[in-house]
Amino acid sequence: MMEDTRSVASLMDSTSSKIQQLQKAFAELESQRAVTLNLKWNELEEHFHGLERSLKRRFHELEDQEKEYETKTRKAQELLEKKKAAVEAKEKASLERLQKKRDAAVFAINTALDKYNNAPISITSVDEGTKAFAAADDNLDGTVQDVETSPVMHYPQLMKLCRDMDSTGLHKFVSDNRKNLASLKEEIPVAFKAAVNPASLVLDSLEGFYPTEAPTTDGKKDANLLGMRRTCIMLMECLSVLLSGLDRNSLASVLSENVKHRAKGVAEGWKPLLETLDMDAANGNSLEAHAFLQLLASFGIVSDFKEGEILKLIPMVSRRRQAAELCRSLGLSEKMPGVIEVLVNRGKQIDAVNLAIAFELTEQFPPVELLKSYLTEATRSTSQGSPGDASPAVQDEFNERELTGLKAVIKCVEEHNLEEQYPVEPLHKRILQLEKAKAEKKRATEPTKPQPKRPRGPQPRVTDNNNNNSKTGYGRVIHERYPQYVYDNRPFLSGPIMAAQAPPPQTYTFSPAAAAHGNFYGNCYQYQTPPPAYFH
C-alpha cells in the first residue's frame, strides 16, 4: 500500500515536467504555422493545471481517509484486546469461584461424613437394602425398621418421642428448647429414624396449623400460634434432610402412596386459606405460604399443583432465609428470572438481589443497580413529604422509611461482600443525619421538668449516727455552730504496736454539779464539757 502511494506521488510530481515538454512541442508546432496559437495554448495550459490540482486534492483526501481507517483499525484492535482480557479475567474469576465451590462442597461432604461416622445414633447402612428399611411391597405404610440406637445423645427425649409417634410431645419439646434450635435441627433428622413412620409423624404434627376454633386474637400477634407454625416448618425441613440421605427404595418406602395422598389432602385444605392472605401485608415473610410450599417440597407432591399457582406464592416468602433453597426443592430454578422481575416491579429489590446472587443471575439483574433503585424510591417518597404544608407525622413516617431502607441496603451489601462495588460510608453518614434529626425532634417535643427550688441560707445537717434503734427513723439535727466532737473513735491508737506504747489510762473525776446540769445550755444547744482538773 505504501509503495503504491509513493508511485502515485512521484507521477504527480512529474506532471509539471510533462506540461513543459508539451509546451515546447506546441511552440514548435506553432512556429511552423502562419497563424499564432497563443490563445489556445493558454486555455490548454489552464486545463492541465486544473487537472493537476484536482488530482492532488483527491490524492490528499485519499491519504486522510487512509489515516482515518488506520486509526479506526488500531482502536478496534485495542478494544478487542481489552474485551479479550476482560473475558479471560471473567473466565479466571469463574474458574476460581467454581474451584472454591468445589472445595467447599468437598469440605462439607467430608464434614458430613465425619459427623455421620461420629454421630451418637447408628442405623444400619442404607447400602444393605432392606435391613434398614422394609421393602416397598412389604411395607405400604412407610414404616422404618431395624433401628439401632446409641445410649449417648444430647437430647435422648427426641428418640423416645419419635419412637412413640408423639407429635404433641414433640411440639412441646421443641417449644421448650427453642434456645438450642441449631442443635435440635441437627438431631431431629437422626431421631426421625427411630419413628415407625417419620412422614406420618410430621403430618400428625401439622394438625392445628390452622385452628378450627375462631381465634380470639390476631394470628400474626398470637405468640403460641406463631411458634407452633415455625415448629411445623422446621419439622418438615428436617424430614427433607432425612429423605435426602436415602436411596430410591428407602425413599419410596418412607414416602408411600398413602402418605403422599394424605399430604395432598392437607395441602388442598390449606390452599383456599392462602387465597385470603394479603400479599403486600405478608411483606415476603408469610409463614402460611412457606408452610404450604414446604409441604409440597418435603412430600414430593409439587406435580399435583399448577406451576402458576406455586409461582404466585414465591413473593410471599421472598424475605425468608430459606427462600432460595425452597425454590430449588420446588424445581423452579428455570423460572427464577421471572420471579425476580416480579419482585423488582413490586419494589422488593432487596429480595431480588438475594435471589439473583443465589441463582447466579447477577449479569441479568445487577445487584448494585437494584440497590440504588431501591434507595431512589425511598428517597423519592421522602422528598414527596418534604413541602412545608406536609404534617410532621407524615414527614416522620417518610424519614423512618428512608432510615429502614438505608439499614436494609447496608445489611445486604455486607452479607454479599459488595463493599467494593457499592461503598456504604455515605449511607452511614445519612443514617447519622436522620437519627440526629430524630433525636433533636424528640427532645424538642418532650415537656421540660420544673427544677425544685433550693432554700436560701445555711441549712441544718441531718445525721443518723448509726442510730438503728430509733423508732421514728429520723436523724438528729445538729447545728453547724456546735459540731459534735468524738474523742473515743480513734482507730490509729488501736493495734498491738500502739497498745504496747500507750500509757495507762487516766482516771477523771467529774463534779456532781456538772453532772446534774448536763451538757446542754439553757437554749437546748449541746456543748462539749471540758474535762475537770485532776490531782497529781
Side-chain angles (χ1 to χ4, degrees):
M1 187 69 180
M2 295 299 295
E3 294 179 356
D4 296 340
T5 305
R6 291 175 182 175
S7 61
V8 172
S10 61
L11 290 174
M12 292 181 63
D13 293 338
S14 63
T15 305
S16 301
S17 60
K18 298 291 184 182
I19 293 175
Q20 292 177 0
Q21 293 176 5
L22 182 62
Q23 184 181 4
K24 291 180 181 180
F26 193 80
E28 292 178 357
L29 180 64
E30 188 180 12
S31 62
Q32 296 177 4
R33 285 177 173 270
V35 185
T36 178
L37 298 176
N38 190 19
L39 182 60
K40 292 183 179 179
W41 168 246
N42 290 337
E43 294 177 356
L44 218 78
E45 185 179 12
E46 183 66 24
H47 174 70
F48 282 118
H49 282 298
L51 290 176
E52 182 182 8
R53 287 192 299 269
S54 177
L55 287 174
K56 287 183 178 180
R57 183 175 63 252
R58 184 60 179 168
F59 178 73
H60 291 313
E61 290 177 356
L62 291 174
E63 281 186 337
D64 295 339
Q65 291 179 1
E66 182 182 3
K67 291 180 181 179
E68 184 180 359
Y69 173 74
E70 291 178 354
T71 303
K72 290 183 178 180
T73 303
R74 185 174 64 256
K75 290 183 178 179
Q77 290 178 352
E78 292 177 356
L79 183 61
L80 287 175
E81 292 293 335
K82 290 182 180 180
K83 289 186 176 181
K84 182 179 179 181
V87 171
E88 291 178 353
K90 287 184 178 180
E91 289 180 354
K92 185 177 180 181
S94 300
L95 290 175
E96 290 178 355
R97 288 198 302 268
L98 182 59
Q99 186 63 35
K100 288 181 180 179
K101 289 182 179 180
R102 288 177 178 175
D103 295 341
V106 172
F107 178 76
I109 292 173
N110 293 333
T111 304
L113 290 175
D114 294 340
K115 189 174 181 181
Y116 177 78
N117 294 331
N118 298 327
I121 299 300
S122 61
I123 187 170
T124 54
S125 176
V126 177
D127 297 334
E128 295 179 1
T130 57
K131 289 185 178 180
F133 296 95
D137 52 354
D138 296 333
N139 186 16
L140 298 177
D141 57 351
T143 58
V144 180
Q145 300 176 354
D146 295 338
V147 177
E148 297 179 2
T149 60
S150 173
V152 179
M153 190 174 181
H154 293 91
Y155 297 101
Q157 300 92 330
L158 285 175
M159 296 293 298
K160 184 178 185 304
L161 292 172
C162 293
R163 189 182 296 109
D164 297 342
M165 298 289 289
D166 187 1
S167 60
T168 304
L170 186 60
H171 262 286
K172 186 178 183 304
F173 182 82
V174 173
S175 178
D176 295 340
N177 295 274
R178 187 163 290 277
K179 292 183 178 180
N180 302 322
L181 201 59
S183 300
L184 288 176
K185 287 183 178 180
E186 294 180 358
E187 293 198 9
I188 287 177
V190 181
F192 276 162
K193 299 176 182 179
V196 177
N197 192 336
S200 296
L201 176 62
V202 174
L203 287 175
D204 293 339
S205 68
L206 300 181
E207 295 181 2
F209 189 90
Y210 287 98
T212 55
E213 301 178 356
T216 57
T217 59
D218 187 5
K220 298 183 181 299
K221 298 180 180 179
D222 190 351
N224 295 329
L225 181 59
L226 292 177
M228 190 271 292
R229 288 178 174 176
R230 292 191 182 96
T231 301
C232 291
I233 294 174
M234 188 193 70
L235 292 177
M236 287 190 287
E237 292 175 348
C238 293
L239 178 64
S240 299
V241 174
L242 171 67
L243 299 178
S244 63
L246 303 180
D247 60 0
R248 182 177 300 179
N249 295 330
S250 302
L251 182 63
S253 58
V254 175
L255 291 181
S256 61
E257 292 299 327
N258 294 334
V259 171
K260 287 187 176 182
H261 181 72
R262 184 182 170 191
K264 183 179 178 182
V266 175
E268 290 178 348
W270 287 1
K271 182 181 175 182
L273 301 176
L274 293 176
E275 298 176 356
T276 61
L277 296 178
D278 187 1
M279 186 173 297
D280 295 331
N283 200 17
N285 195 23
S286 172
L287 291 175
E288 296 88 341
H290 187 182
F292 179 80
L293 296 175
Q294 190 64 53
L295 177 66
L296 303 186
S298 298
F299 290 89
I301 54 175
V302 180
S303 59
D304 295 332
F305 295 85
K306 296 181 180 179
E307 188 179 64
E309 297 176 350
I310 298 175
L311 288 173
K312 290 181 180 179
L313 298 177
I314 300 300
M316 301 179 67
V317 298
S318 59
R319 185 158 294 184
R320 298 192 63 79
R321 175 180 51 83
Q322 308 93 327
E325 188 62 30
L326 185 60
C327 291
R328 288 193 182 95
S329 60
L330 291 170
L332 302 177
S333 299
E334 300 296 331
K335 302 293 181 179
M336 292 314 298
V339 174
I340 296 174
E341 189 70 28
V342 171
L343 293 175
V344 173
N345 295 334
R346 292 182 180 177
K348 297 182 178 181
Q349 289 88 343
I350 302 292
D351 302 341
V353 169
N354 295 331
L355 292 178
I357 294 176
F359 288 92
E360 298 182 355
L361 297 173
T362 54
E363 293 184 359
Q364 186 176 355
F365 302 96
V368 176
E369 294 182 5
L370 293 178
L371 294 177
K372 288 183 178 180
S373 67
Y374 177 76
L375 278 185
T376 301
E377 293 181 3
T379 307
R380 185 182 300 116
S381 299
T382 304
S383 63
Q384 292 174 356
S386 297
D389 56 352
S391 63
V394 174
Q395 185 61 38
D396 292 342
E397 181 182 356
F398 286 148
N399 292 342
E400 192 67 27
R401 187 183 306 171
E402 182 182 2
L403 188 62
T404 304
L406 289 169
K407 292 180 179 180
V409 169
I410 292 176
K411 181 180 179 182
C412 182
V413 170
E414 292 177 350
E415 284 181 354
H416 300 295
N417 299 323
L418 300 175
E419 290 86 350
E420 295 182 358
Q421 305 176 27
Y422 195 2
V424 295
E425 289 299 328
L427 306 183
H428 284 294
K429 292 181 181 179
R430 178 59 179 165
I431 288 177
L432 291 177
Q433 293 177 358
L434 293 175
E435 290 180 345
K436 183 179 179 181
K438 182 179 178 181
E440 291 177 353
K441 189 171 184 180
K442 183 178 180 181
R443 286 196 299 268
T445 55
E446 287 181 352
T448 57
K449 297 181 180 180
Q451 298 292 335
K453 295 183 179 180
R454 298 181 60 183
R456 299 180 180 179
Q459 299 298 317
R461 180 168 54 89
V462 180
T463 59
D464 189 10
N465 294 334
N466 298 327
N467 187 10
N468 298 328
N469 296 326
S470 176
K471 295 182 180 180
T472 61
Y474 297 101
R476 292 189 300 112
V477 179
I478 301 177
H479 202 274
E480 294 293 338
R481 291 179 57 190
Y482 303 97
Q484 184 179 8
Y485 296 93
V486 181
Y487 291 92
D488 297 333
N489 188 14
R490 293 181 289 179
F492 59 88
L493 294 178
S494 62
I497 299 177
M498 298 301 297
Q501 298 178 359
Q506 301 293 333
T507 304
Y508 297 91
T509 305
F510 294 92
S511 172
H517 183 271
N519 294 339
F520 294 91
Y521 286 110
N523 56 3
C524 299
Y525 286 109
Q526 187 181 12
Y527 70 98
Q528 184 69 30
T529 305
Y534 58 91
F535 301 96
H536 293 282

